[in-house]
Amino acid sequence: MAALNYHHLRYFRAVAHDGNLTRTAEHLNLTQSALSVQIRKLEEQLGHALFDRRGRQLHLTEAGRIALDHADVIFATGEELLGTLRETGRARQALRVGALATLSRNFQMEFLRPVLGRTDIELVLRSGGAAELLRALETLNLDVVLINQAPARDVLTSFVARRIAEQPVGIVGTPDRFQGRSGLVDLLRDHPVIVPTLESSVRAGFDAVADRLAVRPQIVAEVEDMAMMRLLAREDVGLAVLPPIVVKDELAAGLLVEGDEPLGITETFFAVTMERRFPNPALRTLLHGST
């Protein structure tokens, strides 16, 4: 079998990410027919159709998805090679951070604070679901993923999960809800409660606390996003079960207060990386401090 033509692969990758042949041809300064020929040659060499053409849009076939995953790894590795082994390096080192979309923005800011304002580091921030972010980490499109549950590790992956923080979870609400009663049982019995969704470890902990106290809280909202829980608490929809770091500005301003009696629940945060021979040097500042 002839060696893979990386020019064909590069053109395929560009089209796959854009999804539009005409637009990609314009970006690459090629004619549409010339670009089509490059894609067709790659398909002939691989022996599979890479795109399913539906009107003006191109959709990846199963073989196309596999080819794109490999192409992303190949070209990301090439970019890493240039950035790592060049004597002078780039003026600004890109640091690509992914975070679970539901993770506290305040927590993310605290994690990123050591590199904020650094003129030698260009931050690239991305949010999404856990599976999506971990795939991007595997293909070297991200340097680190912030998540609240360590991923399973098996022989097919080389994830490294570092426990970077553990935040206590409390009951938070407007000051009026705490007047005259601050006991946990009274609060949970007499006020509606905003809780995380069932998939959350915090929710499991809260349900266990309610069972132990023999209280059946009136759950007014199940919310996946910490930012939305913060807004609902500010609107006085009910008491929110969340780490106080999520609402630290509101607590400081007196807009919200935290109950005196602790829940005894914590949320753990992990920074997940890949085992790499040439890890991003900018990442050391976040994981190990400045060197």
Side-chain angles (χ1 to χ4, degrees):
M1 184 176 179
L4 185 66
N5 188 309
Y6 288 96
H7 288 295
H8 297 164
L9 191 65
R10 181 171 69 88
Y11 293 141
F12 156 73
R13 181 172 180 253
V15 174
H17 281 296
D18 200 353
N20 185 287
L21 192 67
T22 303
R23 189 165 54 235
T24 306
E26 292 175 355
H27 292 163
L28 296 176
N29 198 28
L30 295 171
T31 65
Q32 183 175 335
S33 60
L35 185 56
S36 295
V37 168
Q38 302 298 318
I39 301 299
R40 188 160 57 251
K41 287 181 178 179
L42 180 62
E43 290 177 324
E44 290 172 356
Q45 185 177 22
L46 296 177
H48 294 278
L50 301 177
F51 292 107
D52 179 18
R53 293 162 176 80
R54 304 173 195 169
R56 293 177 177 269
Q57 292 298 312
L58 296 176
H59 297 267
L60 287 170
T61 62
E62 183 178 358
R65 171 51 60 188
I66 293 172
L68 180 59
D69 287 344
H70 282 77
D72 282 340
V73 172
I74 289 168
F75 287 104
T77 302
E79 292 170 6
E80 182 186 12
L81 173 65
L82 290 174
T84 303
L85 301 184
R86 276 177 179 162
E87 262 185 44
T88 55
R90 288 180 293 176
R92 288 166 64 85
Q93 174 72 47
L95 179 59
R96 300 167 299 240
V97 180
L100 201 63
T102 57
L103 219 58
S104 162
R105 302 301 188 268
N106 286 339
F107 169 75
Q108 294 179 46
M109 287 297 293
E110 290 301 318
F111 177 78
L112 295 171
R113 195 168 301 283
V115 299
L116 295 180
R118 288 268 301 265
T119 57
D120 59 329
I121 293 178
E122 178 185 354
L123 272 177
V124 180
L125 305 178
R126 178 177 169 188
S127 64
E132 171 193 3
L133 294 173
L134 291 175
R135 281 196 301 270
L137 186 64
E138 280 190 282
T139 57
L140 306 182
N141 288 309
L142 290 174
D143 295 306
V144 61
V145 168
L146 300 179
I147 202 168
N148 57 7
Q149 185 173 349
R153 183 166 180 173
D154 56 43
V155 296
L156 298 178
T157 59
S158 53
F159 293 134
V160 178
R162 295 172 175 83
R163 187 191 302 263
I164 54 173
E166 194 168 67
Q167 297 288 337
V169 175
I171 294 284
V172 173
T174 57
D176 288 346
R177 291 196 179 274
F178 291 90
Q179 289 184 359
R181 56 171 73 85
S182 59
L184 189 55
V185 172
D186 288 341
L187 289 171
L188 296 181
R189 183 186 60 218
D190 298 339
H191 294 273
V193 182
I194 306 161
V195 296
T197 54
L198 290 170
E199 297 78 14
S200 166
S201 60
V202 171
R203 173 64 180 278
F206 174 74
D207 289 345
V209 169
D211 289 342
R212 175 172 54 82
L213 298 176
V215 177
R216 297 190 64 181
Q218 176 197 345
I219 296 177
V220 68
E222 293 184 332
V223 184
E224 186 180 45
D225 185 5
M226 289 289 107
M228 181 56 71
M229 289 188 74
R230 166 179 165 266
L231 294 176
L232 291 174
R234 286 185 55 166
E235 291 296 318
D236 200 22
V237 172
L239 296 171
V241 179
L242 44 69
I245 191 174
V246 176
V247 291
K248 70 172 188 175
D249 294 335
E250 287 79 6
L251 292 174
L255 299 175
L256 296 173
V257 296
E258 182 183 2
D260 295 329
E261 191 172 343
L263 285 174
I265 306 171
T266 59
E267 182 172 25
T268 305
F269 299 91
F270 296 89
V272 183
T273 58
M274 289 284 293
E275 292 180 353
R276 289 166 63 170
R277 185 175 180 183
F278 299 108
N280 189 329
L283 189 58
R284 287 198 295 267
T285 302
L286 294 180
L287 298 181
H288 308 296
S290 300
T291 57

